[in-house]
C-alpha cells in the first residue's frame, strides 16, 4: 500500500501525534458500542522527525471545508474569497465604529463595548449574509452523489462524523477550529487537522475560546430536514456514555 505524506516544517508535531493517538484510542473504544460514530472518526499518521520538522499522512480527496464553501458561494479560489471576507469585515467595522487607530488598543475595546443599536445592526447584517450563504456543504454532498440513496449514505456518514469530531475534540480540549482546519472526505466524513491548540490551550489565548466545539448552522445544514440537533443529541449522548464507562479508560 502506498501512502503519501506532507513534509511540514516550522512546527513541533509531537503534540499532533499525541492527539492523533488519542483519537485512535477513542475510535477503537467507540467501535464496540457506537460503531457508526467510532468508524466515522477518521485519523491519519503523524511522524515527528525533530522539534521543527515532521511528516503528516496526506488525506486523499478531502478538501478543506472553507474551500468547499467558497466554491459553493461563487467566491472562486480561497485567496480571492479571503480577501473579499477581510474587506467586508473592515467595511463593517468602519461603518459601525469609525476608522481604527492601529497604534492603540482603544479600537479593540470599542468593538467589545458596542452600543445595543450598533450590535443590533451588526447582527441584522450578519443574519442577511448567513441567509444568503447557507447550505453550501449540503449542496456539495449532493453533487458528489450519483443517486438519492448515495446522498443519504453520505449524509448518514456525515452525521456520525460530525458527532465523532465534536466529541473527540471536546475530550482533548481542541481549539482553533476554523474552517481551514476541517477536511471533508468524499464519503462525507469530517477530519480534524492542525491540532496544535489542544488540551485546553485555546482558553489561554488573548481572546479565549470558550465553546466546547464548533457547531454552526452551516455544519448542521446537511442534516436537515431531519433535525440536526435531535440527530446529534442522540449520537453525542451514546458517545459520551460509552467513553465514561470504566472499560473505556483502558485504551485511553
Amino acid at each position: 500500500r502506498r501512502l503519501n505524506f506532507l513534509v511540514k516544517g516550522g512546527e513541533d508535531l509531537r503534540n499532533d501525534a499525541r492527539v492523533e493517538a488519542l483519537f485512535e484510542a477513542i475510535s477503537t473504544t467507540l467501535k464496540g458500542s457506537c460503531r457508526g460514530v467510532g468508524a466515522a472518526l477518521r485519523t491519519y499518521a503523524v511522524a515527528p522527525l525533530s522539534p521543527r520538522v515532521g511528516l503528516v499522512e496526506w488525506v486523499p480527496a478531502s478538501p478543506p471545508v472553507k474551500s468547499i464553501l467558497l466554491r459553493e458561494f461563487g467566491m472562486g479560489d480561497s485567496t480571492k474569497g479571503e480577501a473579499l471576507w477581510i474587506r467586508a469585515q473592515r467595511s463593517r467595522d468602519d461603518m459601525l465604529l469609525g476608522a481604527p487607530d492601529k497604534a492603540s488598543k482603544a479600537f479593540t475595546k470599542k468593538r467589545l463595548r458596542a452600543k445595543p443599536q450598533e450590535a443590533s445592526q451588526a447582527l441584522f447584517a450578519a443574519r442577511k449574509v448567513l441567509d444568503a450563504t447557507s447550505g453550501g456543504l449540503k449542496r456539495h454532498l449532493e453533487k458528489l452523489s450519483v443517486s438519492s440513496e448515495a446522498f443519504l449514505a453520505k449524509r448518514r456518514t456525515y452525521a456520525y462524523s460530525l458527532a465523532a469530531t465534536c466529541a473527540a475534540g471536546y475530550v482533548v480540549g481542541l481549539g482553533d477550529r476554523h474552517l481551514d482546519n476541517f477536511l471533508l472526505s468524499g464519503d462525507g466524513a469530517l477530519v480534524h487537522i492542525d491540532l496544535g491548540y489542544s488540551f485546553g490551550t485555546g482558553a489561554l489565548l488573548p481572546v479565549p475560546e470558550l465553546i466546547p466545539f464548533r457547531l454552526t448552522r452551516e455544519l448542521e445544514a446537511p442534516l436537515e430536514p431531519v433535525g440536526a440537533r435531535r440527530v446529534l443529541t442522540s449520537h453525542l449522548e451514546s458517545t459520551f456514555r460509552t467513553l465514561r464507562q470504566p472499560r473505556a479508560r483502558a485504551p485511553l
Side-chain angles (χ1 to χ4, degrees), residues 73-95:
F73 298 155
M75 292 185 180
D77 63 273
S78 59
T79 303
K80 181 180 178 181
E82 185 75 16
L84 290 172
W85 177 251
I86 291 173
R87 285 203 296 270
Q89 285 182 313
R90 288 176 178 171
S91 298
R92 176 206 61 193
D93 290 341
D94 291 346
M95 178 183 68

Side-chain angles (χ1 to χ4, degrees), residues 161-174:
S161 175
L162 183 58
T165 53
C166 287
Y170 173 74
V171 169
V172 303
L174 190 59

Side-chain angles (χ1 to χ4, degrees), residues 219-235:
L219 292 174
E220 292 179 337
L223 304 182
E224 298 298 344
V226 178
R229 295 300 173 93
R230 184 169 63 234
V231 173
L232 288 174
T233 297
S234 174
H235 291 335

